[in-house]
Amino acid sequence: MSLPKGLAEEVSKNLVMVARLIDEEPEQAYAYSRIALRLASRVAAVREAAGFAAYATQKYSEALAEFRAAKRMTGSVELWPVMADCERGLGRPERALAMAGEPEVQKLDKAGQVEMRLVAAGARRDQGQLEAAIVTLQSPELASNSVQPWTARLRYAYADALLAAGREDEAREWFGKTLEADKDGATDASDRLAELDGVEFVDASVDLADLTEVEDEDDDEDDEDAAEIAAAERASDVAEYYDEDDEEYEPLEQSEAEADAEGDKA
């Protein structure tokens, strides 16, 4: 709203493309975000979108700079968890953990606090502290039977940490609980459960044409076998059978009717 109408429309079109492409084509989304940034770098929404596009393409330093700019412009702390995760992406898990203890975390809503807990647990795992990561994820939100937008991801992270720590039975239980909460299939909990149970999936998308082709090849082989047997019988009927390995071998050109006639004559 702070931009002239024509410029606002151009910027908004690019932001729409960022939103559409960021999951499937992050590099293209990043390209659109750069256009928007060039047109309106003083708009907080543009800086935030540019940050998420950079984050999606693992340009963590650039993403962190954009998120910091957006935070300065708005005064909001909602980007705090993803900023901490950028620190992890830059190989600085200790900074992510330090951010998890800052007062900004207390200003986050419930979803933001859960996200911060996930980032902190990831930072613990980055440092090889598996048991600490498990403890970090243990929370009222994890224990709750209520299914919230973050429930599946929280349970999945907990199950994955348990499995990494060698606690397979507990991991199986929590992957199962993840599956119960993951109605949209946002995680691969079902695959992880199957892997733990030693189940192998067969690809059901095999092209039926390929199967038909295999069957046709088998039929062709059967026909060829039958033809060879018939040819051997015909050769036997005229009292002479040629070996193909023989240097003097010449194929028989006698028709089946002629062979039958000669057989009757004999």
Side-chain angles (χ1 to χ4, degrees):
M1 298 297 293
S2 63
L3 300 174
K5 183 179 179 181
L7 180 59
E9 289 180 354
E10 188 65 26
V11 171
S12 64
K13 288 177 182 178
N14 284 281
L15 294 184
V16 167
M17 293 308 297
V18 172
R20 286 182 177 178
L21 295 170
I22 195 166
D23 291 330
E24 302 297 330
E25 301 287 345
E27 290 292 346
Q28 290 187 30
Y30 175 76
Y32 280 106
S33 76
R34 301 307 295 176
I35 297 173
L37 191 61
R38 188 171 63 250
L39 295 172
S41 62
R42 295 185 179 182
V43 176
V46 171
R47 303 303 288 267
E48 183 177 331
F52 278 110
Y55 179 82
T57 54
Q58 300 182 1
K59 298 177 176 65
Y60 297 116
S61 180
E62 186 176 325
L64 185 56
E66 298 300 340
F67 290 142
R68 284 173 175 167
K71 180 178 178 295
R72 285 195 304 271
M73 291 175 178
T74 63
S76 172
V77 297
E78 66 178 6
L79 294 172
W80 197 253
V82 70
M83 289 168 63
D85 206 39
C86 285
E87 295 287 5
R88 285 187 60 213
L90 291 168
R92 302 191 295 239
E94 69 285 351
R95 292 194 185 183
L97 288 172
M99 292 180 68
E102 293 291 334
E104 282 82 355
V105 177
Q106 303 306 317
K107 300 176 184 178
L108 294 168
D109 61 12
K110 182 62 69 176
Q113 290 180 3
V114 170
E115 194 66 34
M116 193 70 241
R117 191 177 292 277
L118 287 167
V119 173
R124 292 291 185 190
R125 291 190 63 172
D126 293 342
Q127 295 180 324
Q129 302 171 4
L130 282 174
E131 290 300 330
I134 291 170
V135 172
T136 299
L137 293 168
Q138 292 170 347
S139 61
E141 294 81 14
L142 179 68
S144 175
N145 291 324
S146 173
V147 176
Q148 302 295 334
W150 60 78
T151 301
R153 291 181 59 238
L154 184 60
R155 291 179 179 179
Y156 184 91
Y158 189 60
D160 191 52
L162 288 169
L163 186 61
R167 295 159 64 173
E168 188 172 306
D169 291 339
E170 293 174 83
R172 181 183 285 103
E173 176 188 353
W174 280 97
F175 277 129
K177 290 182 177 181
T178 301
L179 199 56
E180 293 173 2
D182 191 9
K183 304 303 181 184
D184 298 328
T187 71
D188 63 346
S190 60
D191 293 339
R192 301 296 296 276
L193 268 175
E195 184 179 342
L196 285 171
D197 293 334
V199 177
E200 293 185 7
F201 292 101
V202 177
D203 188 358
S205 62
V206 176
D207 193 342
L208 292 178
D210 293 340
L211 293 177
T212 304
E213 183 178 345
V214 171
E215 292 175 356
D216 291 343
E217 289 176 357
D218 291 342
D219 292 341
D220 291 342
E221 290 178 0
D222 292 341
D223 292 342
E224 290 174 2
D225 292 342
E228 289 179 2
I229 293 172
E233 290 175 348
R234 289 196 300 273
S236 177
D237 287 341
V238 296
E240 186 161 8
Y241 183 77
Y242 292 97
D243 185 354
E244 292 189 20
D245 293 330
D246 194 309
E247 293 181 357
E248 297 181 359
Y249 166 75
E250 292 182 4
L252 291 175
E253 296 180 357
Q254 193 173 33
S255 69
E256 185 175 355
E258 290 173 340
D260 291 339
E262 288 191 16
D264 291 340
K265 185 184 295 184

